[in-house]
């Protein structure tokens, strides 16, 4: 097979090895086979297929295969088999061409030396007689899915469906999907084609295994897997990554100081939405006037200083006053610098949204799916056993090879969830409303059963009831009595809805009228608006805005956010590639799930077509496997060799090794883990930004009787209801607030008094807010607190955006930070405890790199509100804070994406030639492999301790630290003491630090690169030789990095690598080449690496 692209770091030898042992070559790596390997029988080599043709047609060994599959080649009379064709070493390409040219049969590759093909019965003899064919056999049904699939189906929890994806060996997905939907209507729901050879199906969970056994017998079916809906990966950067000049008190980076700032680069993002009214992204740029000049503000940035940078102590920042916020003219930029005032007229380029090929074009509300969900809701609410069934459990892998896996049980049931909401709504603390599960079933079952029974006869009324308990916002449920409201809230939190057009989109099915992939027609979808200052294209796939405190706006700010007024307060947190442009596709509607087209790689291809050459994705699932969708991500990178796709590693580090998602399992993506920042930075900057931002939002609600939440969103009713019960239980008098004004008169003074923030001590209002979070209603005396502090209950009833009580209490954050710092797991370049760990499902090194992700300050969305945000709430009183603190691998990934845009600019502008800008010698279109290799070459060691967990480790009293739950208790080990393979499974090749790789004139190190399109055939060798002058003194270590963009693998393969290239580095004592040490092999092993690319 072909292989392209490589990077040379000082010295590189690259070749395809043919020195494989016989057992290795005679093995086919199949996930569904025992131990992931099928060993080809030697005794039946060469003429197996010819002698045993009848056995082949019977399924090989009398198994469950049909004799053949008819109708999947567009011809009902054609009988075909899915065959594995094992060939001689070095003849894969030759055989592949023979199949295509002589027999018109397409094939795909499985390691090792095996082709998968859908062969008509009449052609079986011809295939077996091909000169290089050693063995052929039928793809057995049990090989078509993972061996653990049945167990994973049992672990699905409350969801009524198993969402399956099926890959075929025939390009007839749409007709096959229609056939299955017709034949299996009672078992199958939501069925449609993803690609020409792939189908997505939702099956009633209790029928799923029966369905799988049925369809796996079809020879056209190649692979079946359980799909998990991806989620956004946040848990609630410049100097560490780019380096800093000690002489630059403002923290200017080494890389930015060379004029590398993202100019000419374009980055694609698929995320919740983008608030283009924020001054980081708006075309008509506005900013507030700083309350103090930049020279007197804290020299903050989105990341901490590197160890060699000058340390600093934050200066006291301006007091937050209760003065009205500045009003802005959106067409005028306010300038006030050094006492001079003026205005600057800006050209305005309106952003036209791409509103074609939207989610609702591919998917439409389905009453069939809604009915199936209604059945599942009825089953749960009418069955005490199911009501009490615990969910939320997980597994913990103690060792990288999965040799010891601990099952941690769930801790919450549906009944528990309902009882918790009853408490939140009523405020009742005396235990009289602690209803039994039997009572809850007797209350809810009759009504929901009636709706189910009348679904067919009174469809309109049944649907209306279903949608009334699943409105667009939780707060709209206050018209129901307490118990029904609690039931509805619990169902919503578990994404159980029988409303066809639920905003959770769980009941949307494939659009039957869309017979082929949607095509773009309009200019906004086909041509970028290059005149817009920051956002050249916006595909409104789900909607055209972000939510309040939205994930997508924060991510985008880390990539390329920048206000045109350079002295804007928020520019202290500008993006890594702050002069780059963005191409954005909208993936969310306020829920935690990520929505993509049927083919999830399409947003990446669209962004590429609009000019983006880097695409970042801060979302994913928890399946550590190379799946059908993983294959698509590899495919889009393989088809576009200059497109670098990044994915967040995930936030499941608490599950131990192998906790990655399926997205970072892709070979060609850059998978990013998260690292911590210095504690002093987190306390002085991240924490105070969080404090000020959420304080402003609390005041916006609790100091304004006209805030929408009070009346139009029902907050006053919800508050009075909760406080009545709480105050009664505590024996305190309470008269319901007569209106928003009375409530504001009570709560607002608590938020205004003593509100100065000085960076070293916390204010009285924050103490009050923190008291709300720890207000344990039933464990206090009547004198211990005012029962009106029970307002915290509203946070759980749909008012979290308006009342960010928990986010505004940074004492909780400090406490957690203190515990982690004391354990040595939180400091600069320490691995974040939540960061998902490798290896991949087939044992490869992922994540590739780590970057700061805990806690990162970036742009804040104000939701669909068109007001311009451009202020740092620590310095300026505002109702529209412009900054937000978030944590997760979601934050580390855009920082890395912006950094890769800088690397790309470095090569395009020719810096690698002589250490200075040299555009005439630049690489016009650097490959993604070159960018990936540069990231790996730049890595510096991760420091500090790393947290592990074990069922047998505790503090001596059989209890865990405060932040741990369940039976798994933490223990800590130095990262540096782990062996090299363990270190790479934990944090990839290290912490991203670009000055370690990029070379500039005057630097002590040197960079050599080869970005090659050369083709290698099996056994070929590329050699590079470099002579080093005799020098003395201390030198940086030699680093050699080889990367290539590998073809997509079959999801059925237990080993994903297709092109198996090797790296050897030999050191010689003289130009004559006398070797003085054994060759150094790729990735530091004693044997060649046959898994990574």
């Amino acid at each position: 097979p072909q292989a392209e692209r490589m990077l040379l770091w000082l010295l590189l030898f690259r070749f395809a090895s043919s020195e494989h042992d016989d057992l290795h070559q005679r093995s086919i790596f199949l996930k569904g086979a025992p131990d992931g390997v099928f060993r080809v029988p030697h005794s039946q080599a060469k003429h197996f297929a010819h002698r045993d043709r009848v056995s082949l047609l019977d399924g090989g060994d009398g198994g469950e295969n049909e004799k053949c599959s008819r109708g999947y080649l567009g011809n009902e009379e054609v009988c075909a088999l899915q065959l594995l064709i094992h060939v001689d070493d070095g003849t894969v390409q030759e055989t592949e061409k023979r199949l295509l040219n002589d027999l018109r049969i397409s094939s795909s590759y499985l390691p090792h030396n095996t082709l998968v093909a859908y062969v008509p019965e009449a052609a079986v003899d011809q295939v077996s007689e091909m000169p290089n064919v050693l063995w052929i056999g039928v793809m057995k049904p049990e090989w078509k899915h993972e061996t653990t699939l049945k167990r994973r189906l049992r672990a699905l929890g409350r969801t009524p469906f198993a969402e399956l994806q099926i890959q075929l060996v025939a390009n007839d997905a749409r007709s096959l999907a229609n056939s299955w939907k017709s034949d299996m209507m009672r078992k199958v729901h939501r069925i449609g084609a993803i690609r020409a050879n792939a189908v997505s199906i939702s099956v009633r969970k209790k029928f799923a295994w029966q369905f799988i056994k049925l369809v796996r017998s079809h020879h056209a079916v190649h692979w079946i897997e359980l799909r998990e809906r991806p989620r956004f990966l946040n848990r609630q950067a410049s100097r560490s990554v780019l380096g800093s000049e000690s002489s630059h008190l403002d923290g200017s980076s080494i890389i930015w100081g060379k004029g590398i700032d993202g100019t000419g680069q374009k980055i694609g993002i698929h995320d919740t939405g983008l608030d283009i009214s924020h001054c980081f992204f708006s075309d008509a740029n506005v900013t507030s006037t700083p309350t103090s000049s930049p020279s007197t503000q804290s020299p903050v940035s989105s990341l901490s200083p590197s160890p060699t940078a000058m340390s600093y102590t934050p200066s006291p920042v301006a007091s937050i006053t209760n003065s009205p916020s500045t009003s802005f003219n959106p067409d005028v930029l306010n300038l006030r610098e050094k006492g001079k005032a003026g205005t600057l007229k800006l050209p305005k380029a309106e952003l036209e949204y791409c509103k074609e090929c939207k989610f609702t074009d591919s998917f439409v509300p389905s009453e069939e799916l809604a009915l199936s969900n209604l059945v599942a809701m009825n089953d749960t609410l009418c069955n005490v056993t199911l009501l009490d069934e615990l969910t939320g459990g997980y597994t913990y892998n103690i060792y990288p090879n999965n040799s010891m896996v601990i099952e941690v049980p769930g801790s919450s049931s549906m009944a528990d969830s309902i009882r918790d909401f009853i408490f939140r709504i009523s405020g009742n603390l005396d235990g009289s409303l602690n209803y039994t599960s039997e009572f809850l079933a007797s209350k809810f079952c009759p009504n929901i059963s009636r709706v189910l029974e009348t679904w067919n006869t009174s469809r309109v009324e049944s649907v209306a009831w279903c949608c009334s308990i699943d409105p667009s916002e939780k707060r709209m449920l206050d018209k129901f009595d307490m118990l029904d409201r609690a039931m509805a809230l619990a169902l919503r939190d578990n994404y159980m809805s029988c409303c066809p057009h639920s905003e959770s989109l769980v009941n949307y099915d494939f659009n039957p009228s869309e017979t082929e992939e949607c095509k773009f027609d309009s200019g906004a979808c086909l041509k970028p608006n290059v005149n817009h200052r920051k956002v050249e294209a916006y595909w409104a796939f789900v909607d055209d805005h972000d939510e309040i405190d939205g994930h997508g706006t924060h991510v985008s700010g880390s990539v390329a956010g920048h206000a045109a007024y350079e002295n804007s307060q928020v520019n202290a947190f500008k993006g890594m590639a702050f002069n780059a442009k963005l191409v954005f596709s909208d993936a969310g509607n306020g829920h935690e799930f990520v929505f993509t087209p049927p083919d999830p790689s399409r947003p990446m291809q669209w962004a590429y077509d609009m000019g983006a050459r880097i695409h970042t994705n801060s979302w994913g699932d928890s399946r550590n496997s190379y799946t059908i969708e993983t294959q698509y991500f590899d495919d889009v990178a393989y088809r576009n060799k200059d497109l670098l796709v990044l994915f967040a590693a995930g936030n499941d580090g608490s599950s131990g090794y192998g906790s990655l998602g399926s997205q970072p399992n892709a070979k060609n993506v850059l998978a990013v883990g998260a690292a911590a920042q210095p504690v002093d930075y987190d306390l002085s900057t991240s924490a105070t930004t969080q404090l000020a931002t959420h304080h402003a939002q609390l005041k916006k609600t609790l100091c304004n009787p006209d805030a929408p939440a009070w009346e139009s969103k029902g907050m006053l009713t919800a508050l009075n209801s909760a406080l009545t019960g709480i105050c009664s239980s505590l024996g305190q008098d309470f008269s319901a607030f007569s209106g928003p004004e009375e409530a504001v008169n009570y709560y607002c003074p608590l938020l205004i008094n003593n509100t100065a923030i000085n960076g070293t001590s916390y204010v009285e209002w924050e103490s009050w807010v923190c008291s709300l979070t720890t207000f344990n209603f039933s464990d206090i005396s009547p004198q211990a607190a005012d029962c009106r502090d029970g307002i915290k209950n509203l946070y759980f009833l749909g008012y979290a955006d308006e009342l960010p009580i928990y986010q505004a209490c940074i004492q909780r954050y400090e406490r957690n930070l203190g515990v982690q710092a004391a354990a040595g797991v939180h400091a600069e370049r320490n691995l974040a405890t939540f960061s998902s760990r490798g290896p991949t499902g087939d044992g490869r090194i992922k994540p590739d790199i780590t970057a700061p992700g805990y806690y990162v300050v970036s742009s804040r969305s104000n939701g669909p509100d068109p007001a311009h945000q451009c202020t740092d709430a620590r310095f300026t009183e505002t109702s529209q804070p412009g900054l937000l603190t978030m944590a997760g691998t979601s934050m580390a990934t855009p920082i890395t994406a912006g950094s890769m845009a800088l690397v790309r600019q470095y090569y395009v502008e020719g810096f690698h030639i002589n250490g200075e800008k040299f555009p005439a010698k630049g690489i016009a279109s650097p490959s993604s492999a070159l960018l990936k290799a540069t990231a790996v070459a730049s890595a510096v060691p991760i420091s500090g301790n790393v947290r592990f967990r074990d069922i047998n480790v505790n503090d001596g009293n059989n209890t865990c630290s405060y932040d741990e739950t369940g039976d798994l208790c933490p223990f800590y080990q130095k990262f540096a003491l782990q062996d090299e393979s363990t270190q790479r499974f934990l944090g990839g090749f290290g912490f991203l630090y670009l000055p370690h790789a990029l070379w500039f004139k005057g630097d002590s190190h040197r960079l050599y690169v080869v970005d090659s399109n050369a083709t290698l055939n099996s056994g070929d060798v590329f050699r590079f030789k470099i002579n080093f002058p005799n020098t003395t003194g201390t030198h940086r270590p030699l680093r050699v990095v080889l990367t290539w963009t590998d073809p997509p693998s079959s999801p059925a393969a237990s080993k994903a690598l297709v092109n198996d290239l090797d790296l050897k580095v030999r050191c010689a004592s003289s130009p004559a080449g006398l070797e003085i040490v054994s060759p150094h092999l790729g990735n530091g092993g004693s044997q060649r690496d046959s898994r990574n690319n």
Side-chain angles (χ1 to χ4, degrees):
Q2 292 185 346
E4 303 85 358
R5 309 296 186 191
M6 62 182 128
L7 168 80
L8 171 66
W9 177 261
L10 296 181
L11 179 64
L12 172 65
F13 287 86
R14 176 187 185 198
F15 63 94
S17 173
S18 60
E19 301 169 1
H20 307 313
D21 60 78
D22 187 61
L23 181 62
H24 193 62
Q25 285 298 291
R26 298 288 183 177
S27 298
I28 304 176
F29 287 79
L30 291 162
K31 285 183 190 173
D35 299 321
V37 178
F38 170 71
R39 310 206 187 285
V40 176
H42 282 258
S43 60
Q44 297 181 3
K46 192 65 178 175
H47 298 297
F48 173 85
H50 181 73
R51 290 203 318 267
D52 294 289
R53 180 169 173 271
V54 174
S55 178
L56 276 171
L57 295 177
D58 285 337
D61 58 1
E64 65 186 73
N65 274 91
E66 297 176 343
K67 286 189 175 181
C68 64
S69 294
R70 296 183 181 273
Y72 302 129
L73 292 174
N75 186 340
E76 291 292 337
E77 301 306 317
V78 173
C79 176
L81 301 166
Q82 183 181 167
L83 298 182
L84 303 178
I85 306 168
H86 191 68
V87 301
D88 272 327
D89 185 30
T91 66
V92 171
Q93 285 179 296
E94 179 185 345
T95 308
E96 188 176 28
K97 289 178 181 178
R98 283 181 179 272
L99 286 169
L100 186 61
N101 296 335
D102 298 349
L103 302 177
R104 297 184 181 277
I105 295 174
S106 298
S107 58
S108 58
Y109 179 75
L110 278 173
H112 282 289
N113 294 338
T114 304
L115 294 171
V116 181
Y118 196 42
V119 180
E121 177 186 4
V124 171
D125 285 345
Q126 293 170 273
V127 173
S128 69
E129 291 166 1
M130 286 183 174
N132 300 310
V133 173
L134 300 179
W135 176 91
I136 66 174
V138 169
M139 180 73 169
K140 293 183 179 181
E142 62 268 26
W143 292 348
K144 296 180 181 180
H145 53 75
E146 292 181 329
T147 56
T148 59
L149 182 57
K150 189 173 183 180
R151 177 174 60 82
R152 292 186 63 212
L153 287 169
R154 290 197 298 265
L156 281 177
R158 298 188 185 114
T159 177
F161 299 108
E163 188 170 351
L164 303 175
Q165 289 190 333
I166 301 176
Q167 190 170 83
L168 312 173
V169 286
N171 291 333
D172 201 14
R174 293 188 184 278
S175 61
L176 184 59
N178 292 333
S179 171
W180 281 345
K181 190 166 186 178
S182 173
D183 295 345
M184 309 173 192
M185 180 62 71
R186 292 190 176 183
K187 300 180 179 67
V188 174
H189 306 272
R190 195 179 185 272
I191 181 169
I194 307 171
R195 283 187 173 183
N197 69 335
V199 177
S200 178
I201 303 177
S202 286
V203 185
R204 287 286 302 279
K205 186 171 62 176
K206 63 181 180 181
F207 297 127
W209 183 245
Q210 177 186 350
F211 173 80
I212 289 168
K213 290 188 69 175
L214 179 65
V215 300
R216 74 183 187 180
S217 66
H218 287 274
H219 279 282
V221 172
H222 177 61
W223 184 250
I224 306 167
E225 65 189 24
L226 185 64
R227 182 178 187 266
E228 179 182 320
R229 297 178 72 180
R231 290 171 163 83
F232 298 105
L233 297 175
N234 64 301
R235 285 179 58 88
Q236 62 129 175
S238 66
R239 281 191 264 182
S240 287
V241 170
L242 306 183
S244 64
E245 305 279 10
S246 60
S247 59
H248 291 181
L249 296 181
D250 63 349
S252 297
S253 79
I254 293 173
I255 308 300
W256 289 343
K258 303 297 183 181
I260 299 176
D261 54 16
T263 299
Q265 305 308 305
K266 201 180 298 185
I267 301 115
I269 302 172
H270 189 64
D271 216 292
T272 60
L274 178 60
D275 186 352
I276 62 169
S277 66
H278 193 289
C279 68
F280 267 4
F281 315 108
S282 62
D283 199 65
N285 302 283
V286 297
T287 183
S288 64
T289 303
T291 57
S292 57
S293 68
S295 62
T296 60
Q297 294 181 19
S298 304
V300 295
S301 68
S302 60
L303 291 175
S304 62
S306 65
T308 59
M310 179 175 288
S311 61
Y312 62 87
T313 302
S315 306
V317 301
S319 299
I320 294 181
T321 64
N322 201 26
S323 59
S325 57
T326 307
S327 61
F328 306 118
N329 178 346
D331 297 314
V332 176
L333 178 67
N334 297 316
L335 300 178
R336 286 177 175 81
E337 183 180 4
K338 298 180 180 178
K340 298 178 181 180
T343 60
L344 172 66
K345 293 285 186 179
L346 295 176
K348 187 173 183 179
E350 293 291 346
L351 178 64
E352 183 182 355
Y353 293 94
C354 169
K355 294 192 175 183
E356 298 172 359
C357 299
K358 299 178 65 175
F359 178 86
T360 49
D361 292 325
S362 298
F363 304 92
V364 293
S366 167
E367 291 188 355
E368 292 177 5
L369 281 176
L371 174 59
S372 296
N373 256 318
L374 179 60
V375 171
M377 292 160 58
N378 182 75
D379 291 346
T380 300
L381 295 176
C382 294
N383 187 316
V384 173
T385 300
L386 293 180
L387 267 175
D388 287 334
E389 185 179 56
L390 298 178
T391 60
Y394 65 96
T395 60
Y396 183 81
N397 296 322
I398 290 182
Y399 302 113
N401 62 2
N402 296 330
S403 61
M404 185 173 182
V405 179
I406 298 173
E407 297 283 344
V408 181
S411 58
S412 178
S413 68
M414 177 66 79
D416 292 332
S417 181
I418 294 172
R419 283 189 283 262
D420 182 66
F421 278 116
I422 290 172
F423 159 65
R424 301 291 179 189
I425 295 166
S426 69
N428 186 283
L429 308 174
D430 61 11
S432 62
L433 300 183
N434 189 23
Y435 297 112
T436 65
S437 299
E438 289 77 8
F439 173 83
L440 295 176
S442 68
K443 163 65 177 174
F444 302 132
C445 185
N447 194 30
I448 200 167
S449 296
R450 177 188 57 77
V451 175
L452 179 60
E453 290 169 2
T454 60
W455 183 268
N456 291 325
T457 58
S458 303
R459 179 72 55 85
V460 173
E461 290 81 2
S462 296
V463 169
W465 181 85
C466 283
C467 294
S468 71
I469 65 168
D470 183 20
S472 59
E473 295 180 339
K474 288 181 180 179
R475 49 195 137 219
M476 297 171 65
L477 292 168
D478 60 3
K479 62 185 177 183
F480 287 95
D481 67 30
M482 177 188 66
L483 290 174
D484 284 341
R485 186 180 178 193
M487 174 201 70
L489 287 166
L491 290 172
R492 279 176 62 96
D493 273 14
N494 286 276
Y495 288 92
M496 298 180 73
S497 172
C498 53
C499 178
H501 50 269
S502 168
E503 282 207 353
S504 65
L505 307 181
V506 294
N507 291 321
Y508 277 64
D509 197 357
F510 285 91
N511 187 349
S513 65
E514 189 174 294
T515 57
E516 59 184 26
E517 186 179 65
C518 180
K519 299 293 192 298
F520 292 117
D521 293 321
S522 72
C525 301
L526 296 172
K527 185 178 180 181
N529 181 356
V530 297
N531 294 320
H532 196 280
R533 186 185 70 88
K534 185 57 67 174
V535 185
E536 290 196 359
Y538 193 123
W539 180 11
F541 177 69
V542 176
D543 56 35
D544 60 4
H545 60 271
D546 204 359
E547 59 185 316
I548 294 176
D549 293 350
H551 187 270
T553 298
H554 192 279
V555 161
S556 300
S558 293
V559 174
H562 186 226
Y565 174 38
E566 193 59 44
N567 281 344
S568 170
Q569 294 172 340
V570 296
N571 270 347
F573 303 92
K574 61 190 176 185
M576 305 297 288
F578 59 87
N579 270 338
K581 299 285 196 76
L582 297 177
V583 173
F584 195 91
S585 52
D586 195 302
N589 66 345
H591 292 271
E592 65 179 299
F593 291 117
V594 179
F595 298 103
T596 69
D599 178 349
S601 69
R602 192 173 185 194
M604 299 157 201
Q605 184 62 56
W606 174 77
Y608 183 86
D609 294 341
M610 299 297 265
R613 294 297 178 264
I614 295 170
H615 195 280
T616 184
N617 304 272
S618 291
W619 48 271
D621 55 36
S622 299
R623 296 178 298 166
N624 187 28
S625 182
Y626 193 99
T627 67
I628 294 172
E629 292 186 355
T630 312
Q631 180 190 60
Y632 294 165
F633 300 133
D634 270 342
D635 180 53
V636 73
Y638 187 70
R639 285 185 285 108
N640 306 289
K641 299 295 197 303
D642 56 346
L643 172 64
L644 177 66
V645 177
L646 295 92
F647 268 104
N651 298 334
D652 292 330
S654 60
S655 293
Y657 289 102
S659 50
L660 300 162
S662 65
Q663 294 79 12
N665 263 257
K667 297 172 291 183
N668 299 327
V669 309
L670 187 65
V672 184
Q677 303 181 95
V679 175
D680 60 349
Y681 173 83
D682 280 336
L683 293 176
S684 67
T685 303
S686 300
T688 54
T689 300
Q690 175 176 309
L691 183 73
T693 295
H694 294 299
H695 177 228
Q697 180 60 53
L698 284 170
K699 288 178 65 179
K700 185 177 179 181
T701 301
L702 296 180
C703 292
N704 180 11
D706 296 323
W710 284 114
E711 288 294 350
S712 63
K713 296 186 177 179
M715 194 171 80
L716 182 67
T717 302
L719 178 62
N720 281 331
S721 173
L723 295 186
T724 297
I726 292 170
C727 295
S728 174
S729 297
L730 295 177
Q732 297 181 16
D733 294 331
F734 171 70
S735 297
F737 293 121
S738 59
E741 293 81 4
E742 187 176 354
V744 164
N745 287 339
Y746 173 74
Y747 289 110
C748 187
L750 296 170
L751 289 171
I752 291 179
N753 293 337
N754 301 308
T755 57
I757 305 173
N758 60 22
T760 57
S761 63
Y762 297 109
V763 293
E764 289 186 16
W765 71 262
E766 198 237 347
S767 296
W768 173 70
V769 171
C770 288
S771 73
L772 301 185
T773 68
T774 58
F775 183 46
N776 187 0
F777 304 96
S778 58
D779 294 338
I780 63 172
S781 64
Q783 295 77 30
D786 192 303
C787 64
R788 286 170 290 187
D789 289 352
I791 191 174
K792 92 164 187 178
N793 273 16
L794 272 62
Y795 180 91
F796 303 96
L797 300 177
Y799 299 93
D801 287 341
E802 292 83 359
L803 299 173
I805 292 168
Y806 286 83
Q807 296 91 324
C809 175
I810 62 171
Q811 293 176 21
R812 298 171 64 250
Y813 166 63
E814 284 183 305
R815 181 187 176 196
N816 182 46
L817 192 64
V819 170
Q820 295 194 35
V825 296
H826 193 104
E828 187 171 26
R829 298 178 181 172
N830 287 185
L831 185 71
T833 56
F834 55 76
S835 187
S836 288
R837 304 170 183 184
T840 63
D842 64 333
R844 287 175 288 117
I845 297 170
K846 293 284 180 174
D848 299 293
I849 205 79
T850 61
Y854 185 2
Y855 268 97
V856 174
V857 179
S858 187
S859 42
R860 174 185 179 267
S861 168
N862 198 39
D865 189 334
H868 290 255
Q869 310 97 269
C870 208
T871 54
D872 184 336
R874 297 175 304 158
F875 302 110
T876 302
E877 170 69 9
T878 178
S879 62
Q880 308 288 352
L883 298 172
L884 182 68
T885 302
M886 298 182 87
T889 54
S890 274
M891 285 62 252
T893 307
I895 285 173
T896 305
S899 300
M900 291 301 97
L902 302 182
V903 172
R904 191 174 191 279
Q905 181 186 355
Y906 174 90
Y907 290 121
V908 169
E909 296 185 351
F911 280 88
H912 62 290
I913 300 299
N914 58 15
E916 297 179 309
K917 189 173 181 179
F918 195 177
K921 293 292 186 179
I923 303 173
S925 188
S927 70
S928 61
L930 176 59
L931 303 186
K932 185 177 177 183
T934 307
V936 171
S938 79
V940 295
I942 292 173
S943 59
N945 293 341
V946 62
R947 183 171 72 177
F948 298 94
R949 303 212 288 179
D950 196 330
I951 197 167
N952 298 315
V953 178
N954 55 57
D955 64 0
N957 298 313
N958 295 316
T959 60
C960 297
S961 299
Y962 85 96
D963 60 341
E964 301 294 325
T965 58
D967 296 324
L968 299 180
C969 301
F971 66 99
Y972 307 90
Q973 293 180 353
K974 283 190 176 297
F975 189 93
L977 295 182
Q978 310 304 309
D979 62 61
E980 188 172 35
S981 63
T982 299
Q983 289 185 16
R984 289 181 174 170
F985 292 152
L986 292 169
F989 289 91
F991 184 89
L992 182 69
Y993 185 64
L994 294 186
H996 211 243
L998 302 186
W999 169 68
F1000 298 99
K1001 189 174 182 179
D1003 285 350
S1004 59
H1005 68 279
R1006 186 68 165 89
L1007 170 70
Y1008 296 90
V1009 302
V1010 175
D1011 197 19
S1012 172
N1013 282 315
T1015 297
L1016 286 175
N1017 294 311
S1018 294
D1020 286 353
V1021 178
F1022 274 12
R1023 291 185 174 89
F1024 298 88
K1025 183 177 180 181
I1026 295 179
N1027 293 323
F1028 296 92
N1030 291 327
T1031 58
T1032 58
T1034 303
H1035 303 285
R1036 298 246 312 254
L1038 169 69
R1039 284 197 173 190
V1040 186
V1041 180
L1042 165 67
T1043 63
W1044 65 96
T1045 302
D1046 204 45
S1049 177
S1050 165
S1054 59
K1055 177 180 174 182
L1057 193 66
V1058 174
N1059 287 327
D1060 188 357
L1061 310 185
D1062 295 330
L1063 170 68
K1064 285 187 179 181
V1065 178
R1066 290 188 172 95
C1067 299
S1069 60
S1070 68
L1074 179 63
E1075 191 172 311
I1076 58 173
V1077 294
S1078 300
H1080 299 279
L1081 302 180
N1083 291 330
S1086 59
Q1087 299 181 348
R1088 69 181 196 88
D1089 184 337
S1090 63
R1091 292 193 178 271
N1092 296 286
N1093 65 320

